[in-house]
Amino acid sequence: MAVCSSCNTLVLKDFVEFKCPKCAKHTILRCKHCRQTAKTYTCPECGFTGP
Ligand SMILES: [Zn+2]
Ligand SMILES: [Zn+2]
């Protein structure tokens, strides 16, 4: 199960995942929609927000 870090929607495909650029501990998931609309995400681990 993967949940988009921006909109908290369950994502099954067409998403990207990458480590938080600040703490590198938490894996950020972003759905296709949030990537296209450049929504910000928040790392639940350190509170880092990014585009
Ligand atoms: Zn999303
Ligand atoms: Zn982080």
Side-chain angles (χ1 to χ4, degrees):
M1 293 280 246
V3 175
C4 174
S5 300
S6 294
C7 63
N8 291 317
T9 301
L10 200 64
V11 285
L12 299 171
K13 56 170 187 168
D14 292 334
F15 66 89
V16 288
E17 75 182 296
F18 52 92
K19 294 276 192 229
C20 168
K22 190 178 179 188
C23 67
K25 283 178 189 168
H26 195 84
T27 302
I28 310 286
L29 292 178
R30 297 187 82 202
C31 67
K32 191 182 179 185
H33 174 76
C34 288
R35 211 174 59 213
Q36 286 177 342
T37 55
K39 284 198 72 158
T40 55
Y41 58 86
T42 303
C43 172
E45 195 82 25
C46 66
F48 176 82
T49 57

